[in-house]
Amino acid sequence: MTKWVYMFSEGDATMRNLLGGKGCNLAEMTKLGLPVPQGFTVTTEACTQYYEDGKKINDEILAQIMESVTKMEEIAGKKFGDNENPLLVSVRSGARASMPGMMDTILNLGLNEEVVNVIAEKSGNPRWAWDCYRRFIQMYSDVVMEVGKKYFEELIDKMKEEKGVTEDTDLTADDLKELSAQFKAEYKSKLGEEFPTDAKEQLLGAIQAVFRSWDNPRANVYRRDNDIPYSWGTAVNVQMMAFGNMGDTSGTGVAFTRDPATGENKLMGEFLINAQGEDVVAGVRTPQPISELEKIMPEVYKEFVDITEKLENHYRDMQDMEFTIEDKKLYMLQTRNGKRTAKAALKIACDLVDEGMIKEEKAVEMIDPRNLDTLLHPQFDPQAIKEAKELGRGLAASPGAASGKVVFTAADAKEWDAKGEKVVLVRLETSPEDIEGMKAAQGILTVRGGMTSHAAVVARGMGTCCVSGLSEIKMDEANKKFTLGDVVFGEGDAISLDGSTGAVYAGAIATIPAEISGDFGRIMGWADRFRVLKVRTNADTPEDARRARELGAEGIGLCRTEHMFFEGDRIDAFREMICSDTVEEREAALEKILPVQQGDFEKLYEALEGNPVTIRFLDPPLHEFVPTEEADIKKLADAQGKTVDQIKEIIEGLHEFNPMMGHRGCRLTVTYPEIAKMQTRAIIRAAINVKKNTNLDVKPEIMIPLVGEVKEFKFVKDIVIATAEEEINKAEVKLDYEVGTMIEIPRACLTADAIAKEADFFCFGTNDLTQMTYGFSRDDAGKFLDSYYDAKIFEYDPFAKLDQVGVGSLMKMALDKGRPVNDALHFGICGEHGGDPSSVEFCHEIGLDYVSASPFRVPIARLAAAQAAIKASK
Ligand code: PEP
Ligand code: MG
């Protein structure tokens, strides 16, 4: 028979998956002999079972819960609903990974009027007894029966007003008794039934409510943001109450063994006298700093400090603890590895190494790679964000916080920025012509587009905050207006974006700048020692490449050459090339492009200091590059010696119903071999020059996109080799280069053995591979993914986190087919997943040689790669 329930004395810290974080640590503290009010944990498996059984606690689980209640009654020497010695308990959630504030808690369970009278009399403290009762009714109604808290808070406020007092603690026993009656009346009027008096009925209601809270909307969002699978479920902890609200010799509080904001090694915390847990959190009263406890109850303080030290030494990590003092007796209600800012995380990890508490390997494991984002980008002032009003959520496309005035065009963004205004660029979607405006903006907000849309990819590369695909926006670009929630924004109105969560706020919210400390370098240095995967970067400009290098990139895994044409008048030559209608015209345009590309490639090679540089041939979904504005069309017409109508006709002819699956990638070379020739010349000439001028060992890796058939690859490769050899012979130098392919079309995986015979390397383009494996448009999926989350079909965006089951199988297939055919073949990934920690772990497992991530994600990938290697070695 499955064991669904464990007494605290039956578990320990190794049982986190089954008992949840809170449950396993209560068990561990019990084992350490610390003062823990005893109780039991209903397992996470029971939660999963509850959902499998159609949201019911089945008889077997029920029986085990009841058995454990009896055991707890024996330990306590008290009984549920007893007239002599009544037992009161708390019921709290506790998942495997901590989800602060996401699920619900109920205190003082087991009370009814009779029991209140018993404890009032026994304790000689009727005020306390009635205070417990009114709190219980409030929490039970809110959590179990979903009657909003506010009704009860209104009644408390009314009572305080009538009695002419300001603090809850000033209400007398009679007042609280009266409040309890009012609360119960409120309960009855809202639900049409009496408030339950039977303790066991209350308990089951509460346990079910905790299970149910695993699926509440805020928990679902938190899980998605924090990579916590729905399938884990939450455990429920039922624990004997310790009362912090018994008067001035009682209290409750929370503490951290180190400062969770800065990492400073000093006990931090706060407490309230004569209060219960939720008062500290709710901010109804202002708590006192923990150091004050020394003055009020010196012995208790000393005991507490001893315990905090013991716990930190035991867990070898900063602890976040909850405690209650019941009539001068200290109880520990919780301990866990505390949540901390990225800055504190680095400091604590380094300090613990210096203090000899942990090894460097452990320090590397302790840092959540996703948190590093906050060190590299500005963040909202934590105080200011609390007061902000969230209007909606799009995709968290590029991290950081931004605040500025709304502008609707890239030109305005540039112009306002030049005047010293901070702006947020709001667009339906962005296109290459917006690039300078995107650079000038603090943040970018788009109505359309997914995690791999133009806005998302480009913003991430630049390190600019971006929220994409916020489809609830009603956009009126013509009148420079949009509506979100109930707010209408016009040009110049203040708006704030959080690119790390996707949230959008009205008004300006103060931000704090990014700050990298020396601890960052130490941790990164340790990470580099453990990892096996190389980390390259997706960089398209010499500037991005230099930044990525500073952040530790060991090569370029993807240079999207079409992105080199975003800026200035380069786009003109590029458009001329796209909109040519004869080979001669195209060659003339390519002639203009060649020196520009060559110059950029030289700078890329120099920035990478001899590390590998992979340059991908043009892969522009043409729709992203054709001019849309009348003035740009005119400019192009003039340059080509054509009429506006002729250009419009060409553009019309380029129109594709499905541009993402259209005339792009190697298909362009098949139709226009002259493009591949020009790019090969630029790549090879640049390499020859840099080799000559700097002595750097340059070995270009030429990458062919969107290959699905070996003959396609061979066709392009032949052009590359013929052109490259011509250049090399002409220059009379020796130069090695490689020709490889992106693997981003399912058919390339299915036929990887044939392709491997021809290619020097495979680089997985998991953006397109995901798009084509699922058949989801990478630009539009954002519009319907929310429904997929709601329906529990998906737990995450497959364009952000690799679908290891489907897309991952195709990747493995490509490796399995490719490896035996070609020993020298090397493997990488350059889709956006190359910067996502769980995807990096997968890449380690399947034995890729490198991952390639946008510059600001390079440190995340370095750390994730180290963690993957450490995990695999265990
Ligand atoms: C990819 O498809 O994963 C890729 C890296 O190429 P792009 O995003 O430019 O299509
Ligand atoms: Mg691609």
Side-chain angles (χ1 to χ4, degrees), residues 451-661:
M451 290 299 279
T452 60
S453 63
H454 177 268
V457 171
V458 172
R460 220 173 285 140
M462 300 190 307
T464 300
C465 160
C466 174
V467 173
S468 69
L470 183 48
S471 51
E472 284 131 53
I473 288 182
K474 288 197 197 66
M475 184 61 129
D476 178 2
E477 272 185 327
N479 294 305
K480 296 196 169 176
K481 259 188 359 203
F482 74 87
T483 312
L484 178 59
D486 48 4
V487 183
V488 180
F489 289 87
E491 190 176 54
D493 291 342
I495 193 167
S496 300
L497 316 178
D498 188 336
S500 309
T501 62
V504 175
Y505 304 89
I509 305 172
T511 56
I512 44 176
E515 189 192 343
I516 299 190
S517 68
D519 297 326
F520 178 80
R522 282 185 84 192
I523 296 277
M524 284 295 140
W526 295 335
D528 289 346
R529 285 211 326 255
F530 294 111
R531 72 187 156 89
V532 180
L533 273 173
K534 294 269 179 207
V535 177
R536 297 194 189 182
T537 188
N538 293 356
D540 312 320
T541 63
E543 191 187 334
D544 287 358
R546 270 190 294 274
R547 189 183 298 129
R549 201 60 202 123
E550 278 160 27
L551 293 169
E554 299 163 294
I556 289 183
L558 171 64
C559 166
R560 292 176 165 106
T561 44
E562 60 276 12
H563 285 192
M564 299 179 137
F565 295 95
F566 283 160
E567 275 170 67
D569 9 308
R570 291 169 164 220
I571 188 104
D572 299 339
F574 197 69
R575 283 178 172 156
E576 283 173 36
M577 193 269 294
I578 291 178
C579 295
S580 302
D581 52 2
T582 63
V583 175
E584 292 71 35
E585 269 180 28
R586 192 167 307 103
E587 280 178 342
L590 289 168
E591 266 316 299
K592 292 190 200 167
I593 293 178
L594 192 142
V596 177
Q597 289 235 292
Q598 185 184 327
D600 280 352
F601 295 153
E602 285 175 11
K603 290 195 200 108
L604 282 188
Y605 295 141
E606 283 165 12
L608 265 294
E609 304 166 301
N611 286 291
V613 174
T614 310
I615 296 173
R616 182 181 73 182
F617 274 0
L618 281 178
D619 178 18
L622 295 180
H623 70 298
E624 283 187 10
F625 288 85
V626 290
T628 49
E629 307 277 326
E630 204 62 28
D632 292 329
I633 295 176
K634 171 89 176 57
K635 197 168 167 194
L636 185 56
D638 292 347
Q640 303 263 75
K642 292 197 168 89
T643 65
V644 164
D645 283 345
Q646 277 172 320
I647 291 291
K648 282 189 177 165
E649 207 173 300
I650 294 175
I651 294 176
E652 183 70 16
L654 288 172
H655 172 80
E656 294 180 295
F657 284 103
N658 222 332
M660 271 295 181
M661 298 172 87

Side-chain angles (χ1 to χ4, degrees), residues 191-254:
L191 296 171
E193 59 188 64
E194 298 291 342
F195 189 80
T197 52
D198 180 69
K200 288 183 180 158
E201 183 190 336
Q202 292 170 355
L203 180 65
L204 289 180
I207 293 175
Q208 295 208 36
V210 172
F211 284 161
R212 215 170 46 221
S213 70
W214 178 247
D215 198 18
N216 74 27
R218 63 180 194 276
N220 281 320
V221 171
Y222 186 92
R223 265 200 302 277
R224 218 165 37 243
D225 285 350
N226 291 278
D227 259 352
I228 301 173
Y230 177 74
S231 59
W232 281 2
T234 179
V236 186
N237 299 292
V238 179
Q239 187 174 25
M240 276 158 49
M241 281 300 303
F243 294 99
N245 58 341
M246 283 189 102
D248 290 344
T249 52
S250 301
T252 188
V254 293

Side-chain angles (χ1 to χ4, degrees), residues 558 560 616 619 664 742 744 765-768 778 830-831:
L558 171 64
R560 292 176 165 106
R616 182 181 73 182
D619 178 18
R664 52 179 288 227
M742 294 201 64
E744 52 184 344
T766 42
N767 303 334
D768 277 311
R778 53 195 268 192
C830 62

Side-chain angles (χ1 to χ4, degrees), residues 31 72 115 127 167 216 255 304 330 435 459 468 475 490 510 519 558 578 580 657 702 715 755 779:
K31 210 164 118 185
M72 185 166 60
V115 174
R127 188 198 174 280
E167 299 283 331
N216 74 27
F304 180 66
L330 175 68
I435 195 78
S468 69
M475 184 61 129
D519 297 326
L558 171 64
I578 291 178
S580 302
F657 284 103
I702 298 175
F715 180 91
I755 300 172
D779 285 340

